[in-house]
Amino acid sequence: MAGVLKAVPETARRGRDVPWRSICKVAVLEHRAGLASVALLSAACLAALLIKGLGSTMSLAQFLRDGAENTSALSVLDFVALAFPAVIGIFMGAPLVSRELETGTFRFTWTQAVGRTRFARISALFLGVVSAVLACAVGVLLTWYAGKFEVLGIESRWQAGFFLASPIVLPALTLASLAFGVLAGTVVKRTVAAMAVTTVVTAGLLTALMTYLVRTLLSVSPLVTNRISPVGNIVGSLNSPVPSGRWPGGAWLVRSWLTGPDGRQLTSTDAVRVMHQITSQAKGAPSQVGLAHPQAFTFWVSYQPADRFWVFQLLLAAALLGLAIAALAATMRRIRTIG
Amino acid sequence: MTVLETFGLGKRYRSGWALSDCTLAIPAGHIVALVGPNGAGKTTLLNCAVGLLRPSSGSVRVLGGLPAGSPGALERVAYVAQDAPLVGQLPTQEMITVARCLNPGFDVQNALRRLQSLEIPLRTRVAKLSGGQQAQLALTLALARHPELLILDEPIARLDPVARHDFMTQVVTAVAEDGLSVIFSSHVVSELERVADYLLLLSRGRVALAGPIDEVLAEHACLSGPADDVRSIANGFDVLDLAAGRRHARVLVRGGFASGQAPAGWESDDVGLEELILAYLRRSPLPSGAGDFTGGASSWQAS
Amino acid sequence: MGYLRKGDQLPRVKEVVAALSINPNTVLKAYRSLEEKRLIAARPGLGTYVQAEPETIDIQVLNSLRQRLRAGWLREAREAGLDDDGILALIMVELQDIRGSRADLPGSAEGVA
């Protein structure tokens, strides 16, 4: 042998001993651009929410005066908040592994002492924590801003757009999107293509949630009552956070229907006719109207009471988190077997 | 201790078998030249040795029995892939940070000293370094891990002659200082003999030759003599290459004789390494197992 | 070659390897073979030193050999029509023959600079 093999003490070189902080440091160094742009975007989003929110304590009169512009601002910010998970998934998740595979740097990183699975797992978890925290902050501020409209009975936290952008669901949605992006990167192995796939999937998931899934979730075993009269704007009434009289405040209307004197449900055309009769006979403010023939028609609603809001939030968050964990597990399996 | 051991190793891609039935046992303490034409399976073999590829058949072990790619192997084997992949947008010193973060026991002082003596700037982005500097940086990061085995995949293929010389000087110096074993692949044969003392020759995915270079050369000879007498040579020896004119023939043979005992009418001469390698590479594919050369008059694979 | 004298220190293996960019085992073998010939000796902790000078052949013997070559065999070879290459080839063949018939003797020329 040419020289004396310079012995590195056994305990000093174990790959298992690589501290997770070091791996996070590497993740930051390698994905600096992505992290910086996400941080910047989040900061802009949070600033916008803060500014808008601070500047608009409204009364109903104020809202009726210039509320339309505020509502569109709210919609825009809501949209941005919902885009956040997709942005994370596409710009941080998809490139995480796929860039290494595409540029060939995995031939360096995967032959270091730390090992490919530990490196990938901790990098992904690190990005997950960062994105979840940012998503939570976005959710908090958005909910706070939307709350100003909710107080007036105009918007509702039960609406899909706000339900998904809450401080509980938005982080879970972000983690699911991130995890899927990383998985896509290990399957597709090309950064741009992985980003495209992630875009399609997260857009699809968001669309499905917005249009169908949230509503379906919320119509699970609602409470039913006929002790409510149809006053004014049905949605607004039920969702007023302050209970008034026999109205359950802060609740979510799932369905409403009329039954006739025989107890059978009226068809929608008949129901419309009856409601029209009632409101056309009203004199004065619509909110004073009661049923013309209280013994002839009964007004039913099925609804979710206010206190169930958190249950549904946690249910949805748990389901999304489950998706995220499944995607991460699949990613780890793929990384282990590449080659 | 064997630094690299394979048992019937095979790797299959969609296009076919890149490696078939490779059985090797390379002892420690050598600088091994892995030689073969492009497509012979050199990169595949090295990738299997460092755990980047999983064998389709057979197995690979390193450093006395550690499975290739296992945590124990990753800790002790350093690898520089073809074209020295590094994270291009990082400056050199951050690349060192990355290596330090991913390897406990990474010797930062060693790396910095080497880079300083090579005059490689620390603040420049890796992508802006020259090819030679990138290769040296990759080598520096590998050596600073104080590995027991260093594996290099065509490290000098794209370098100019000066850069090549400097690179190999770093390698041999590190071997002299640390006593590590080295396996490097190359399809440039001419400079091997100075640096390598063990030869591993792959052809079409199979092992054609394996052994210490001086033993390998001693087993071969170049016989020159009358062209009409070639048949007697062919019957007595294992012929690798033949160049025959009308009167004179030159035959490259493998035999168990010492130089000087040429058959009557023939002269025997030493074979050069380059000539020997070319002769093996030009040969048609060997039947399976024929590349081992174990159990012959002299066994080249030290156990 | 006369550059190192008795008592001089040899460069360390590492230095030779770095300077010539060659395999360390080659240098080690060379040093070992010099040690076997008792030309150098390793002193632990201090380094490797030249111990003895290779046997020098007496200059007068060398001169007389050269003179005999010039006046005798070389002249004959030239007159027979051999050119420089032919002369060298003849000598090489003869040396090889001698080496072949004494194959067990250590004689392969490993040149040590």
Side-chain angles (χ1 to χ4, degrees):
Chain A
M1 209 116 128
V4 177
L5 188 61
K6 190 164 272 178
V8 176
E10 273 309 304
T11 47
R13 58 153 107 236
R14 281 210 310 245
R16 288 150 272 170
D17 290 343
V18 173
W20 59 266
R21 264 178 239 96
S22 305
I23 301 177
C24 295
K25 192 167 186 178
V26 174
V28 170
L29 286 175
E30 286 194 9
H31 301 277
R32 227 178 343 214
L35 280 168
S37 24
V38 163
L40 226 63
L41 280 168
S42 314
C45 194
L46 294 170
L49 282 168
L50 207 55
I51 292 168
K52 264 291 173 188
L54 283 172
S56 56
T57 343
M58 289 180 293
S59 64
L60 185 54
Q62 259 184 312
F63 174 77
L64 290 173
R65 195 174 59 225
D66 50 26
E69 157 208 309
N70 279 328
T71 317
S72 33
L74 179 63
S75 304
V76 167
L77 289 167
D78 187 27
F79 177 80
V80 171
L82 289 176
F84 186 80
V87 165
I88 293 284
I90 297 167
F91 293 99
M92 292 215 315
L96 184 64
V97 180
S98 67
R99 194 159 62 183
E100 296 232 26
L101 291 173
E102 192 174 15
T103 58
T105 54
F106 76 97
R107 292 180 291 156
F108 168 76
T109 14
W110 289 8
T111 52
Q112 305 305 303
V114 65
R116 54 168 98 167
T117 39
R118 187 140 184 270
F119 180 67
R121 188 173 59 238
I122 295 191
S123 304
L125 288 175
F126 169 68
L127 291 184
V129 168
V130 169
S131 344
V133 166
L134 287 174
C136 194
V138 169
V140 163
L141 283 180
L142 184 73
T143 306
W144 169 64
Y145 182 42
K148 300 179 189 295
F149 295 77
E150 225 186 318
V151 163
L152 303 175
I154 295 159
E155 306 281 3
S156 162
R157 59 185 176 159
W158 291 91
Q159 285 165 234
F162 301 113
F163 194 82
L164 292 172
S166 77
I168 292 179
V169 173
L170 195 63
L173 186 54
T174 305
L175 288 175
S177 181
L178 176 71
F180 185 79
V182 177
L183 177 62
T186 61
V187 171
V188 173
K189 297 181 193 171
R190 290 250 180 286
T191 311
V192 174
M195 288 167 71
V197 169
T198 310
T199 307
V200 168
V201 171
T202 47
L205 178 63
L206 261 170
T207 311
L209 283 166
M210 286 281 290
T211 56
Y212 176 72
L213 289 175
V214 171
R215 223 187 15 244
T216 312
L217 172 68
L218 294 180
S219 55
V220 168
S221 67
L223 298 181
V224 176
T225 182
N226 61 354
R227 315 233 262 128
I228 290 175
S229 40
V231 170
N233 180 336
I234 298 293
V235 169
S237 311
L238 272 186
N239 291 342
S240 159
V242 178
S244 49
R246 285 177 297 177
W247 302 97
W252 176 248
L253 174 73
V254 178
R255 201 163 70 93
S256 63
W257 66 99
L258 284 169
T259 50
D262 54 357
R264 278 191 309 149
Q265 187 179 340
L266 292 178
T267 64
S268 43
T269 30
D270 289 340
V272 164
R273 193 167 38 83
V274 168
M275 296 304 292
H276 183 68
Q277 269 184 328
I278 294 171
T279 50
S280 64
Q281 285 169 15
K283 291 181 174 70
S287 54
Q288 304 300 319
V289 168
L291 281 173
H293 302 280
Q295 282 72 41
F297 297 102
T298 323
F299 182 67
W300 295 87
V301 295
S302 67
Y303 70 104
Q304 302 286 1
D307 55 6
R308 281 198 190 174
F309 179 75
W310 301 107
V311 176
F312 282 111
Q313 281 271 297
L314 290 171
L315 275 175
L316 183 56
L320 290 170
L321 213 57
L323 270 180
I325 292 172
L328 189 64
T331 303
M332 287 302 124
R333 194 165 54 234
R334 279 206 68 84
I335 286 181
R336 246 192 300 270
T337 56
I338 286 181
Chain B
M1 174 175 78
T2 51
V3 285
L4 179 63
E5 244 182 327
T6 68
F7 307 91
L9 174 65
K11 178 65 185 174
R12 188 198 184 131
Y13 293 118
R14 229 170 312 180
S15 42
W17 289 85
L19 287 177
S20 354
D21 202 24
C22 291
T23 302
L24 306 164
I26 300 180
H30 292 286
I31 298 181
V32 181
L34 172 57
V35 171
N38 292 327
K42 305 193 294 292
T43 299
T44 307
L45 175 62
L46 296 182
N47 279 347
C48 286
V50 296
L52 286 176
L53 289 176
R54 285 177 312 146
S56 309
S57 64
S59 65
V60 195
R61 290 177 192 279
V62 294
L63 296 171
L66 296 170
S70 64
L74 287 176
E75 290 157 8
R76 294 171 181 76
V77 178
Y79 177 58
V80 179
Q82 226 165 354
D83 301 334
L86 300 162
V87 184
Q89 73 267 33
L90 294 181
T92 306
Q93 59 190 16
E94 284 186 16
M95 207 53 236
I96 296 180
T97 308
V98 170
R100 181 173 55 82
C101 285
L102 300 181
N103 298 288
F106 185 83
D107 190 343
V108 181
Q109 292 310 314
N110 179 303
L112 290 174
R113 244 183 287 128
R114 193 182 300 270
L115 290 177
Q116 193 176 40
S117 73
L118 292 166
E119 293 178 358
I120 292 181
L122 289 179
R123 294 197 199 278
T124 313
R125 284 174 199 257
V126 165
K128 295 256 170 41
L129 297 174
S130 71
Q133 288 176 318
Q134 286 179 358
Q136 289 283 18
L137 175 57
L139 178 63
T140 300
L141 295 179
L143 289 175
R145 295 174 55 188
H146 290 301
E148 292 176 30
L149 172 62
L150 174 67
I151 296 188
L152 310 168
D153 189 358
E154 303 235 10
I156 57 176
R158 297 238 190 120
L159 304 184
D160 63 70
V162 176
R164 275 190 202 165
H165 181 269
D166 290 345
F167 187 93
M168 293 316 292
T169 305
Q170 290 292 320
V171 173
V172 294
T173 315
V175 173
E177 283 174 357
D178 277 356
L180 64 150
S181 304
V182 178
I183 301 177
F184 76 96
S185 71
S186 176
H187 65 268
V188 175
V189 182
S190 43
E191 299 178 2
L192 288 181
E193 211 164 349
R194 209 180 63 228
V195 167
D197 61 345
Y198 196 101
L199 178 69
L200 181 53
L201 198 154
L202 282 189
S203 178
R204 291 194 188 84
R206 292 175 185 279
V207 179
L209 204 53
I213 289 182
D214 48 5
E215 287 178 28
V216 166
L217 290 179
E219 280 292 312
H220 293 79
C222 190
L223 302 177
S224 45
D228 12 334
D229 203 15
V230 165
R231 228 162 283 269
S232 71
I233 299 291
N235 288 336
F237 300 94
D238 186 4
V239 172
L240 284 126
D241 198 27
L242 167 66
R246 261 191 311 138
R247 296 210 188 282
H248 179 251
R250 221 167 151 263
V251 193
L252 211 163
V253 298
R254 175 189 166 242
F257 56 91
S259 155
Q261 285 173 12
W266 290 80
E267 276 168 28
S268 132
D269 224 340
D270 292 333
V271 189
L273 183 62
E274 188 169 355
E275 191 181 354
L276 180 64
I277 291 175
L278 290 174
Y280 269 95
L281 294 182
R282 277 200 222 106
R283 255 184 151 188
S284 48
L286 307 163
S288 75
D292 283 339
F293 294 107
T294 46
S298 69
S299 167
W300 293 332
Q301 298 178 53
S303 46
Chain C
M1 298 278 287
Y3 289 123
L4 289 173
R5 321 239 65 174
K6 183 168 172 181
D8 286 347
Q9 186 179 19
L10 262 68
R12 268 196 286 269
V13 173
K14 215 168 32 176
E15 292 161 10
V16 177
V17 162
L20 298 178
S21 190
I22 57 172
N23 190 301
N25 287 337
T26 313
V27 179
L28 281 174
K29 274 190 207 160
Y31 273 41
R32 223 177 294 133
S33 116
L34 284 177
E35 222 176 332
E36 276 166 24
K37 293 184 184 148
R38 301 186 179 274
L39 290 173
I40 61 174
R43 293 193 209 144
L46 295 170
T48 315
Y49 292 83
V50 178
Q51 197 179 51
E53 281 159 5
E55 295 163 19
T56 44
I57 302 179
D58 185 37
I59 195 103
Q60 285 178 323
V61 175
L62 277 177
N63 279 338
S64 124
L65 278 172
R66 280 183 68 184
Q67 197 158 36
R68 284 170 53 199
L69 201 60
R70 193 185 314 154
W73 189 87
L74 264 183
R75 192 162 58 81
E76 257 190 75
R78 283 249 189 269
E79 281 168 10
L82 281 172
D83 65 352
D84 282 358
D85 286 337
I87 290 172
L88 285 171
L90 206 60
I91 296 178
M92 287 307 303
V93 167
E94 187 53 35
L95 284 174
Q96 247 188 341
D97 265 352
I98 298 173
R99 198 189 313 151
S101 63
R102 295 157 61 187
D104 51 313
L105 289 178
S108 50
E110 277 195 54
V112 177

